[in-house]
Amino acid sequence: MRILKVLVYSNAFVALVLALLSLSTYYIVEGLPFKWYVPLSIYLGSLVLYSFHRLYKIDFIPKNQLAERHLWVVRNANIMKLVMSFSVLVFMVLLPNYNHETIIWLIPAAIFSLAYTIPLIPAKNGWNRLRDIPFIKPLIISIVVTYLTLCYPIFEAWGIESILDPGLIGLFGERMLFILAVTIPFDLRDIVNDKDAGLETVGTELGFNASKRLCGVVVSVWAISFAINALFRNYSIEYMLLQAGLCAILIGGLFRLNPNWKNLSYTLVFEGLIAGYSAAIIVSAYLH
């Protein structure tokens, strides 16, 4: 359990999950040449960004709002900073593998990621973070994650114009909806602290049960988008069965979700489902 908490609270787990999701892109986009440094870059970048989000102004969080993950970060802040520095160094070593166009099109994702935590959005009362905008947090996360794990491997290989292919747009929508479905529950995890901080999120505005129902609607829309893509992209029977099983697990997880869940449970179940989504793509490619 201690090792598991280290992996989750240090953000190594979520970084690995996103790297696996980017790896799956090479198995679902036909003809896409594999570039080993892309999933590795996703891992390093995710580790740095998520750690930055955890560390940024953590000293300003009221003691009564400090969850177990926050307390772990406070105790291990110096180690996390060292890991972040090493990750940036390795990423710099990987940079010569990319052309200038690829680097330029990574900048929007980096800006959105920073603006999620740092006040960069002009507002009447000063400057706001993206997460301060009502209801937008899960949507921003799902769009940025899909852009980095799906579009990034594609335009790194074929150029930015390649992501406008109609078939890939459908794939973008499907993946974004899945990420959105597993991201909304994290608003429920943070519902008490977000309410104390005055944030207007899906959880604080709709309440726990209504937010679960909204998540169920998103799951249904994702299932429809998956069925449409299956029709036009000729998904294998193995892949459809694996994703159907994943959908059942997701619905079961939502059904059992309750306010007493621990922070660790949210991560293992819902970020674990992203790993399952990626594994289904990769496994079905070998089975087919």
Side-chain angles (χ1 to χ4, degrees), residues 55-287:
L55 288 166
Y56 182 74
K57 288 192 174 181
I58 194 168
D59 295 335
F60 291 84
I61 299 177
K63 290 185 177 180
N64 65 322
Q65 294 183 21
L66 289 173
E68 184 179 19
R69 66 185 186 277
H70 297 127
L71 295 172
W72 188 93
V73 170
V74 171
R75 291 194 301 267
N76 297 277
N78 290 333
I79 296 176
M80 290 182 68
K81 291 173 184 177
L82 285 174
V83 172
M84 289 171 65
S85 300
F86 178 75
S87 298
V88 171
L89 178 62
V90 176
F91 184 78
M92 296 299 292
V93 173
L94 296 176
L95 271 183
N97 291 292
Y98 299 104
N99 57 44
H100 292 90
E101 182 184 16
T102 301
I103 296 172
I104 289 172
W105 284 105
L106 280 177
I107 294 175
I111 292 174
F112 271 91
S113 298
L114 290 174
Y116 177 79
T117 300
I118 301 176
L120 297 177
I121 311 298
K124 292 182 180 179
N125 57 344
W127 296 86
N128 284 344
R129 305 166 298 176
L130 280 175
R131 64 180 301 174
D132 294 321
I133 302 175
F135 300 104
I136 204 172
K137 183 169 71 170
L139 186 61
I140 288 294
I141 293 173
S142 61
I143 291 174
V144 171
V145 167
T146 305
Y147 180 79
L148 287 174
T149 63
L150 178 66
C151 297
Y152 173 36
I154 293 172
F155 70 68
E156 192 280 332
W158 294 335
I160 192 63
E161 66 281 352
S162 61
I163 67 174
L164 299 178
D165 180 271
L168 295 177
I169 292 176
L171 194 58
F172 183 97
E174 177 198 322
R175 181 169 295 189
M176 187 201 74
L177 285 166
F178 180 81
I179 299 299
L180 181 61
V182 298
T183 301
I184 290 175
F186 287 95
D187 267 8
L188 304 185
R189 179 195 67 181
D190 300 329
I191 192 169
V192 174
N193 287 345
D194 285 345
K195 187 175 292 186
D196 290 341
L199 297 178
E200 299 178 54
T201 67
V202 171
T204 61
E205 298 305 301
L206 299 184
F208 197 92
N209 291 326
S211 298
K212 283 176 61 174
R213 289 193 290 271
L214 174 62
C215 194
V217 171
V218 176
V219 173
S220 299
V221 177
W222 164 62
I224 293 171
S225 69
F226 178 82
I228 294 172
N229 277 337
L231 181 64
F232 288 99
R233 297 180 64 85
N234 296 317
Y235 287 158
S236 67
I237 295 296
E238 295 90 345
Y239 181 48
M240 289 189 286
L241 288 174
L242 286 171
Q243 292 290 27
L246 195 73
C247 185
I249 295 172
L250 176 51
I251 293 173
L254 287 174
F255 183 77
R256 294 179 62 86
L257 182 61
N258 64 73
N260 296 321
W261 270 31
K262 302 295 185 182
N263 291 336
L264 203 60
S265 299
Y266 281 91
T267 298
L268 294 178
V269 172
F270 294 106
E271 288 181 0
L273 280 166
I274 302 176
Y277 176 88
S278 307
I281 295 173
I282 296 171
V283 169
S284 62
Y286 282 109
L287 293 176

Side-chain angles (χ1 to χ4, degrees), residues 34-53:
F34 176 64
K35 305 291 182 67
W36 61 270
Y37 49 84
V38 172
L40 179 56
S41 298
I42 291 290
Y43 177 84
L44 295 170
S46 301
L47 186 60
V48 171
L49 282 172
Y50 274 88
S51 297
F52 173 76
H53 291 161

